[in-house]
Amino acid sequence: MATSAARLIALPPCDHVPRPYTGPSKQEVLALRRQYCHPSIFLYYRDPLMLVEGHLQYLFDETGRRYLDFFAGIATVACGHSHPRLVAQVQAQAATLQHATTIYLHPGVTLLARRIADKMPAGLEVTYFVNSGSEANDLAVLMARCYTGNNDVIAVRSGYHGGSSSAMALTSHHTWKFPAQSNLGVHHTVNPDPYRSPFDGTPEQIASQSAADIRDLIRYSTPGKVAAFIAEPIQGVGGITCGAPNYLAEAYDIVRAHGGLCIADEVQTGFGRTGEHFWGFQRSGVVPDIVTMAKGIGNGVPLAAVTTRREIAEALTQRIHFNTFGGNPVSMAAGLAVLDIIEEEGLQQNAREMGSRLRAGLQDLMARHRLVGDVRGMGLMLGVELVRDRATKEPASQETLAVWEAARELGLLIGKGGLDGNVLRIQPPLCINPADVDFALEVLDEAVGRVEG
Ligand SMILES: Cc1ncc(COP(=O)(O)O)c(C=O)c1O
C-alpha cells in the first residue's frame, strides 16, 4: 500500500456557518469515554472523529471542519441532519407533551400509523411502534411464532437484524454474534448475491437456486413447518448484497408453502432509500406479511415500527405486550415530519437520480481501479467491494480500511461492511445534490488510487 502527498479536493459550497464549539475538548471527551463508557461501544477511525454539528448532508467537527456525510449515521438520517422542519416539529411537541405511553389516547401514534398504512400494500395496515430495529425484529418474530404456532425461523447468511440476543440470533455474521444467544430454531440460508454465490449461472438462476436452499433447510433442519423467513431486501451491514428480484418472490412462495410468514426487514431499505420504490421489497413485486422498519423512519430520533395484517397482529393480544417508549409523542412528531419531508422534497426521486449518477461514477471507478471488484446496490444504498485479485476475489480488507481512512482525511465519511470488512458502504442522506456526488467520486478515486499506489 502506498500513500502519496495529500491532495485537497474542494467540498461543494455550503452557506451554513457552524456555531463556535465551546464544549469539552476532543481529548477530554475521549478520556471520559474511555473511563466511563462501556468498552464494547467502538469508535470509527484511527484518529476518532468528534462531531458537534450537522446541517443536512454536512457534518462539522469541533474545529469547524466540514465533512460530506455519505453514511448518514448508518443509513439513518434520511432527510438530512437537523432538518429545520423536523427540528421545529419535534421541539414543538417536546414543549407541549413529551411523554404519555399508549395507555392513553394521543393523536400522534394514530396519525403516524395511518400514514404508514397509506404507504403499504393493501392489508398491511396495523403498526406497533418501538424504539429500535432490534426490537422491531424481535417483535415480528414473536408475532410470527404466535400466529403460526411454529418456532423455526429462516434468515439469510450475511444478514444483520440487530444486537439484542434474539435479533443477534437472526444476524448471520460471526463478528456480530456472541456465544450467549437465547433464540433457538434460527437457520441461515444461502445468500443470493451473485458476486460470491456457491452457485453458477445468471443472477436469476443463482436467485432460484438460493431460494431452493430454503426448501432444503426446512426439510433437513426443522419439523417441516416454519414460523417465518426474514430478509433484508438489500443487506446493509452484509455489504450491500442482494439477489436478483426473483429471489424474494420464490423464497416467499417456498416459505408460505411450509406455513411460514415472510418478514421484510426494511430498516435500511425503507423510506425511499432505494430510489425506485418506497420499500425495498417492491423491487421483487412481493407483499410481505410483516414489515419492520427503523433508522430512516425517525431521521435519528429513536423510532422503529412493525407493520402487519390485523389477523397476525391479533396473535399478540393473547397476553399483555407493552413498550414504554413505543408511540412516544416526540418520536411520532419526528416520524410524521420525516414522511412530510420525503414527500414534499421529492427525496425518493432524488435518491433515484443521485443514485444513478453515483453508480455510473462508481462503475467508471471500477473500470480504472483493479482494487474495485464489484459495484452494486440501488438508489442511495450502494456498495463497492474491494478485492486483491478479481479472479480469486480475495477480500482486500486492509486496503478497504486504508481507502476509508483516506476518504475521511479528504472530507468524505463513508461506511464499511461485509463479512470480511472489504465493502465500502455508501448510504448518504437522501438530500444530496450533483456537486456532492461529484465530490464523493473524486475523493474515492483519489483514495483508491493512493492505496493502489
Ligand atoms: C437491516 C437492519 N435491521 C435491524 C437493525 C438493528 O437496528 P437497531 O440498531 O436500531 O437495533 C439494523 C441495524 O443496523 C439493520 O441494519
Side-chain angles (χ1 to χ4, degrees), residues 74 131-137 160-164 167 232 234-237 265-269 292 294-295 303-304 425:
I74 316 194
N131 313 291
S132 68
S134 302
E135 278 181 292
N137 285 328
Y160 183 87
H161 299 289
S164 65
E232 299 159 83
I234 301 176
Q235 293 183 338
V237 175
D265 179 336
E266 292 280 351
V267 168
Q268 296 211 15
T269 45
T292 59
K295 294 188 184 277
L303 171 58
R425 287 167 61 194

Side-chain angles (χ1 to χ4, degrees), residues 67-250:
Y67 293 84
L68 175 61
D69 183 10
F70 262 38
F71 202 30
I74 316 194
T76 296
V77 181
C79 303
H81 294 278
S82 299
H83 191 290
R85 173 156 181 189
L86 184 135
V87 170
Q89 287 184 220
V90 164
Q91 278 176 341
Q93 183 56 55
T96 311
L97 179 67
Q98 194 230 324
H99 178 67
T101 93
T102 46
I103 60 173
Y104 307 111
L105 281 175
H106 185 271
V109 66
T110 47
L111 291 174
L112 185 56
R114 186 178 68 183
R115 289 285 296 277
I116 290 174
D118 289 345
K119 290 283 182 196
M120 289 284 171
L124 288 167
E125 62 176 7
V126 298
T127 293
Y128 194 133
F129 292 104
V130 290
N131 313 291
S132 68
S134 302
E135 278 181 292
N137 285 328
D138 186 16
L139 187 61
V141 168
L142 177 67
M143 273 196 276
R145 285 178 167 152
C146 291
Y147 178 74
T148 61
N150 302 326
N151 185 63
D152 291 83
V153 177
I154 311 285
V156 181
R157 285 191 194 162
S158 194
Y160 183 87
H161 299 289
S164 65
S165 60
S166 59
M168 192 192 298
L170 303 170
T171 291
S172 168
H173 273 243
H174 66 93
T175 45
W176 298 99
K177 285 168 97 72
F178 290 78
Q181 296 150 47
S182 59
N183 211 12
L184 293 173
V186 176
H187 313 273
H188 292 103
T189 184
V190 170
N191 187 312
D193 185 80
Y195 190 64
R196 289 188 184 276
S197 177
F199 305 119
D200 291 326
T202 63
E204 290 72 23
Q205 288 166 338
I206 288 172
S208 294
Q209 293 173 88
S210 306
D213 182 66
I214 297 173
R215 186 182 293 106
D216 287 345
L217 203 51
I218 293 173
R219 281 159 48 84
Y220 283 117
S221 307
T222 78
K225 291 263 176 208
V226 292
F229 165 73
I230 182 165
E232 299 159 83
I234 301 176
Q235 293 183 338
V237 175
I240 319 293
T241 64
C242 66
N246 58 312
Y247 174 70
L248 279 189
E250 294 178 31

Side-chain angles (χ1 to χ4, degrees), residues 279-363:
W279 305 111
F281 63 76
Q282 291 170 305
R283 165 178 178 263
S284 292
V286 295
V287 176
D289 302 296
I290 306 179
V291 180
T292 59
M293 60 205 92
K295 294 188 184 277
I297 183 178
N299 204 55
V301 170
L303 171 58
V306 185
T307 300
T308 188
R309 297 197 301 276
R310 176 161 301 281
E311 78 264 21
I312 297 170
E314 294 285 352
L316 212 62
T317 61
Q318 57 183 278
R319 293 284 189 282
I320 300 172
H321 195 279
F322 180 65
N323 188 303
T324 300
F325 300 119
N328 171 281
V330 178
S331 308
M332 298 300 101
L336 287 164
V338 163
L339 286 173
D340 289 343
I341 294 165
I342 290 176
E343 281 166 16
E344 287 168 20
E345 297 185 6
L347 293 186
Q348 183 185 322
Q349 190 187 335
N350 196 53
R352 183 168 65 230
E353 290 167 9
M354 293 306 108
S356 65
R357 186 181 183 105
L358 192 50
R359 204 187 151 114
L362 294 173
Q363 254 143 359

